Amino acid sequence: MIQNNQKVSGQGIRRDETKNMILCAMFVTLIAAGAFIKIPIPVVPFTLQYLFTMLAGLLLGGKLGCLSVCVYILLGLLGLPVFAQGGGIGYIFQPSFGYIIGFAAGAYVTGVIANGKGNPGYPRLLTANFIGLGIVYFFGMVYYYLMSNFYLGTPIGLWPLFLYCFLLAVPGDIVLCIVGAILGKRMIPVIRAERI
């Protein structure tokens, strides 16, 4: 009897791990695709990358959401052209690479906050998304500033940094936060039911 229970338990764990791997792989693919789905708005066009990294955190939780983004980053650094401007280890010298690092940290925090409650409502989901977005921009702007001023030799002041790397870029991402909360509210119960 004990051995049968152990077998069932072991099969259940393997099944859970398989489901988690499939979900992570799906989000790695979505994040990569999102880098090439560009929304042509005036001044600063943006991609759907942030939407998919945010959803990875919301739907998979902090750890698996972050893992999905980290696998995506690793694939890009290994040379697969999954970033918006290609791939390869040299991409770390792109001033915008900080945003990609921020995607991983943002997905983790978004997932932890959103999934801190059994059935999160819109206020919690929006809060999680906006905090995650703040983390993405923090990493992105700090990295951009450091690379521009201390590596590339193309100094940028704090006001231009704030204007071009935040103020002009953030409206589209705010819309994505709202869209992410709506999708998350509908999809979190479905994903949880599939993972049981």
Side-chain angles (χ1 to χ4, degrees), residues 26-35 47-62 64-70 72-73 83 99-111 128-129 132-133 136 173 176-177 180:
M26 181 181 75
F27 272 99
V28 171
T29 305
L30 287 171
I31 295 164
T47 69
L48 293 185
Q49 256 183 320
Y50 177 62
L51 176 64
F52 293 126
T53 59
M54 176 192 355
L55 286 173
L58 290 178
L59 302 181
L60 304 183
L64 288 178
C66 180
L67 177 63
S68 299
V69 181
C70 288
Y72 161 76
I73 294 171
F83 299 143
Y99 291 96
I100 296 174
I101 298 170
F103 288 152
Y108 177 78
V109 173
T110 298
N129 292 350
L133 181 63
V136 171
D173 288 328
L176 292 182
C177 284

Side-chain angles (χ1 to χ4, degrees), residues 39 41-46 163-164 168-169:
I39 309 298
I41 61 171
V43 186
V44 183
F46 71 101
L163 177 64
Y164 292 108
L168 295 176

Side-chain angles (χ1 to χ4, degrees), residues 136-151:
V136 171
Y137 274 93
F138 174 77
F139 275 86
M141 291 172 69
V142 168
Y143 198 91
Y144 197 102
Y145 181 84
L146 294 174
M147 289 299 293
S148 295
N149 287 287
F150 301 108
Y151 177 74

Side-chain angles (χ1 to χ4, degrees), residues 130-191:
F130 283 126
I131 290 174
L133 181 63
I135 290 169
V136 171
Y137 274 93
F138 174 77
F139 275 86
M141 291 172 69
V142 168
Y143 198 91
Y144 197 102
Y145 181 84
L146 294 174
M147 289 299 293
S148 295
N149 287 287
F150 301 108
Y151 177 74
L152 297 175
T154 53
I156 186 170
L158 292 179
W159 169 245
L161 178 75
F162 180 74
L163 177 64
Y164 292 108
C165 296
F166 178 78
L167 208 55
L168 295 176
V170 78
D173 288 328
I174 290 173
V175 172
L176 292 182
C177 284
I178 296 168
V179 171
I182 294 168
L183 293 173
K185 179 66 176 166
R186 291 174 177 269
M187 295 175 67
I188 286 173
V190 175
I191 295 293

